[in-house]
């Protein structure tokens, strides 16, 4: 991997309904390569360190991504174990739910 | 000193607050709060003036929300509010109760958690899961929910819980060990020779008489009961009521013999008020006799129900009584139930009603 790509941050896009629960959180978060984020689970842990409690909103205690939350990496539905490469984009979405 | 009264309303889509002066004639509605999450139980901690709301979002899971400024701003937490990895995750918080410095939360699937820091972090009281009956608990219509929480007012170690449909349980050691407290309550949904089991009854709502901690009342799926010995033995008090079925029960703030119910027409008959006419039923003698209270309530073409946590009293003199309906209306009485006024309409389905008296 070229050195400049290896230094690129993982970019996480968060849904509005989630960031409203964490008043300081932006819709788009960059996790620097220095954080050594290797999987989706690592990225969510990094979010939780910045905004305590955010992991519990995205993941349940199984642990897995909540049933009505979706996480996509490079357009594919991901699990907590999905690997992440530097510069990759993680999109967190609220799934269809409710009544 | 000026007092005001708050009605704390949990609904399917957020928490709401109604506010009045002590005359309780005119109410102002605020909300929705808690990001419109379903809020199963909204309570006040009178010692701190904090409002706490327990619920769960289909998207974001369970949490307890907290407001220290009467609803203006809120935070939420679910730190520690989880079963061990691999077990069925918690869907929602169903009930909250304050006891001394501790806060208790009952959850779905049924279990009990305690917070000693005002709801910031939670610890699982795993003793309830270790009860030998646990593998045999079955969910009721709303899930396997721990919906009633009654801490003893003087003994920190004692606590009663109501679980649908596992029954009533009591601990005398702060949640380490538990025993069933269901003797005398029916399970009509079981075969004829098994209708008084040790556990498995569908308790709908469990309340404690003021000043008499061992006097408990319960509205059950199958009857209405009173116990005068902390639930060791229950006696039926349903004679004189229009139905054995209902969800809520609310005690008077000072009189241990006064209780309010809102019977519904039956578990397989629609579960709305009997004959399409709304009535709160009151006893002044511990369930020996009942009177129907209808003044101001709709007396025709009325098909709402009232859920298990959706009726409450306040501590003023005379006591206020309140209930919220499945159709999003809220009714209030400022004269102990003698007359009623509709104080809010068109809310989401009301899941819980509690009150708070605030001294400015």
């Amino acid at each position: 991997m070229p050195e400049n790509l290896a230094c690129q941050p993982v970019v996480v896009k968060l849904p509005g309904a989630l960031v409203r629960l964490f008043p300081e959180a932006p819709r788009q978060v960059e996790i620097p390569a220095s954080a050594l984020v290797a999987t989706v689970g690592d990225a969510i842990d990094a979010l939780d360190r910045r905004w305590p409690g955010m992991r519990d909103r995205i993941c349940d205690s199984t642990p897995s991504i909540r049933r009505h939350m979706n996480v996509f990496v490079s357009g594919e539905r991901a699990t907590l174990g999905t690997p992440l490469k530097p510069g990759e984009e993680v999109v967190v979405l609220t799934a269809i739910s409710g009544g | 000193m000026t007092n005001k009264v708050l009605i704390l309303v949990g609904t399917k889509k957020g928490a709401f607050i109604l506010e009045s002066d002590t005359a309780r004639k005119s109410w102002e509605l605020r909300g929705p709060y808690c990001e419109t999450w379903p809020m199963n139980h909204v309570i006040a901690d009178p010692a701190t003036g904090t409002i706490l709301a327990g619920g769960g979002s289909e998207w974001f899971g369970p949490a307890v929300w907290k407001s220290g400024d009467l609803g203006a701003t809120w935070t939420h937490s679910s730190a520690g509010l989880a079963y061990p990895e691999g077990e069925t995750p918690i869907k929602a918080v169903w009930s909250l109760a304050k006891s001394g410095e501790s806060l208790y939360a009952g959850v779905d699937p049924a279990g009990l958690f305690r917070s000693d820091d005002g709801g910031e972090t939670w610890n699982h009281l795993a003793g309830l899961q270790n009860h030998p009956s646990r593998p045999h608990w079955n969910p009721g219509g709303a899930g396997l929910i721990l919906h009633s929480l009654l801490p003893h007012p003087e003994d920190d170690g004692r606590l009663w819980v109501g679980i649908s449909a596992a029954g009533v349980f009591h601990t005398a050691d702060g949640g380490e060990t538990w025993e069933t407290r269901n003797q005398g309550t029916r399970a009509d949904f079981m075969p004829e020779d098994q209708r008084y089991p040790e556990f498995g009854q569908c308790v709908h709502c469990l309340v404690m008489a003021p000043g008499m901690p061992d006097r408990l009342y319960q509205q059950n799926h199958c009857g209405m009961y009173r116990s005068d010995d902390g639930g060791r033995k229950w006696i039926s008090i349903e004679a004189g009521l229009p139905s054995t079925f209902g969800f809520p029960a609310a005690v008077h703030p000072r009189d241990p013999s006064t209780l309010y119910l809102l019977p519904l027409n039956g578990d397989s008959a629609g579960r709305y008020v009997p004959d399409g006419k709304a009535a709160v039923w009151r006893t002044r003698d511990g369930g020996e006799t009942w009177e129907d209270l209808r003044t101001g309530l709709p007396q025709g073409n009325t098909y709402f129900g009232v859920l298990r946590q959706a009726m409450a009293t306040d501590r003023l003199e005379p006591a206020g009584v309140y209930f919220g309906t499945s159709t999003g209306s809220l009714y209030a009485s400022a004269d102990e139930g003698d007359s009623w006024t509709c104080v809010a309409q068109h809310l989401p389905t009301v899941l819980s009603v509690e009150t708070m008296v605030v001294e400015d």
Side-chain angles (χ1 to χ4, degrees):
Chain A
M1 184 183 297
E3 190 178 337
N4 60 340
L5 186 58
C7 293
Q8 287 186 3
V10 167
V11 176
V12 184
K13 292 185 174 176
L14 300 173
L18 177 63
V19 300
R20 283 202 299 274
L21 302 173
F22 300 91
E24 306 299 320
R27 291 292 301 273
Q28 182 166 315
V29 182
E30 292 190 354
I31 303 174
S34 60
L36 300 175
V37 168
T39 64
V40 166
D42 292 343
I44 293 171
D45 286 347
L47 295 174
D48 195 69
R49 284 192 292 275
R50 289 177 68 175
W51 297 287
M54 191 177 280
R55 184 201 293 112
D56 283 352
R57 305 284 71 87
I58 303 172
C59 306
D60 65 27
S61 57
T62 308
S64 60
I65 294 166
R66 289 193 177 281
R67 187 166 159 236
H68 293 284
M69 297 295 286
N70 282 325
V71 177
F72 288 85
V73 176
S74 298
E76 296 288 329
R77 194 186 299 259
T79 67
L80 292 177
T82 299
L84 289 177
K85 296 191 288 285
E88 211 150 28
E89 184 176 84
V90 179
V91 180
V92 181
L93 294 169
T94 49
I96 293 170
S97 179
Chain B
M1 186 175 291
T2 305
N3 288 343
K4 57 187 175 187
V5 185
L6 271 55
I7 312 174
L8 311 175
V9 185
T11 81
K12 192 177 176 188
K13 301 189 180 189
F16 294 81
I17 297 174
L18 288 94
E19 185 172 323
S20 175
D21 59 23
T22 54
R24 296 164 289 175
K25 298 293 182 199
S26 172
W27 294 88
E28 285 191 16
L29 176 75
R30 325 188 241 121
Y33 299 120
C34 309
E35 291 293 332
T36 72
W37 286 24
M39 283 292 125
N40 291 312
H41 201 195
V42 186
I43 69 163
D45 175 4
T48 62
T50 304
I51 298 171
L52 298 138
S57 157
E58 286 282 316
W59 290 316
F60 302 122
V64 175
W65 292 69
K66 186 161 80 166
S67 174
D69 51 15
L70 301 183
T73 60
W74 294 79
T75 58
H76 78 279
S77 176
S78 57
L81 202 62
Y83 289 134
E85 287 188 6
E87 294 187 11
T88 302
I90 295 170
K91 291 181 194 162
V93 175
W94 258 86
S95 49
L96 295 169
K98 185 81 189 297
S99 173
E101 297 300 309
S102 296
L103 187 63
Y104 289 94
V107 302
D108 171 15
L112 183 63
F113 289 75
R114 190 180 72 212
S115 172
D116 295 318
D117 57 9
E120 296 297 319
T121 61
W122 296 88
N123 291 299
H124 183 207
L125 300 181
L128 190 56
Q129 305 294 324
N130 298 331
H131 192 272
S133 66
R134 177 65 184 88
H136 307 289
W137 294 358
N138 286 309
L144 182 60
I145 55 175
L146 196 161
H147 53 71
S148 291
L149 268 173
L150 297 179
H152 192 285
E154 287 128 31
D155 183 344
D156 286 349
R158 294 185 66 192
L159 181 75
W160 291 262
V161 299
I163 299 172
S164 291
V168 177
F169 293 78
H170 173 262
T171 180
D173 56 15
E176 290 284 317
T177 60
W178 295 81
E179 62 179 48
T180 55
R181 293 281 171 97
N182 299 300
Q183 190 184 344
T185 58
R186 292 194 313 277
D188 291 339
F189 43 86
M190 295 292 284
E192 210 163 317
D193 59 347
Q194 299 175 42
R195 290 197 173 157
Y196 287 89
E198 183 193 350
F199 61 88
Q201 285 89 337
C202 190
V203 53
H204 279 180
C205 183
L206 185 67
V207 292
M208 178 186 289
M212 287 181 69
D214 279 327
R215 170 171 284 190
L216 307 177
Y217 297 96
Q218 71 164 285
Q219 173 71 67
N220 193 291
H221 195 108
C222 309
M224 185 63 217
Y225 303 91
R226 189 187 80 227
S227 171
D228 289 322
D229 57 6
R232 286 186 176 83
K233 187 178 176 191
W234 294 89
I235 59 165
S236 171
I237 56 170
E238 63 206 44
L241 290 169
S243 160
T244 59
F245 185 88
F247 286 102
V251 291
H252 188 276
R254 290 169 292 276
D255 179 4
S257 295
T258 294
L259 181 75
Y260 299 90
L261 296 181
L262 209 145
L264 302 179
N265 63 346
D267 71 338
S268 59
R271 303 187 178 194
Y272 23 72
V273 289
D275 304 319
K277 300 174 180 176
V280 171
W281 289 71
R282 179 176 64 194
T283 179
R284 294 283 200 192
D285 52 17
E288 294 292 319
T289 60
W290 295 92
E291 59 183 320
D292 54 329
L293 310 169
R294 299 178 183 273
T295 304
L297 295 177
Q299 294 303 298
N301 300 324
T302 303
Y303 298 98
F304 60 63
V306 177
L307 294 172
R308 70 184 80 236
Q309 299 188 110
M311 187 157 67
T313 56
D314 67 31
R315 64 176 174 82
L316 298 182
E317 174 66 53
V321 192
Y322 309 87
F323 69 88
T325 73
S326 57
T327 53
S329 292
L330 193 74
Y331 288 88
S333 167
D335 55 10
E336 310 223 337
D338 289 340
S339 64
W340 295 85
T341 306
C342 182
V343 296
Q345 295 184 82
H346 315 307
L347 296 174
T349 297
V350 176
L351 304 175
S352 77
V353 173
E354 297 282 0
T355 65
M356 179 180 192
V357 176
V358 181
E359 294 174 355
D360 286 336

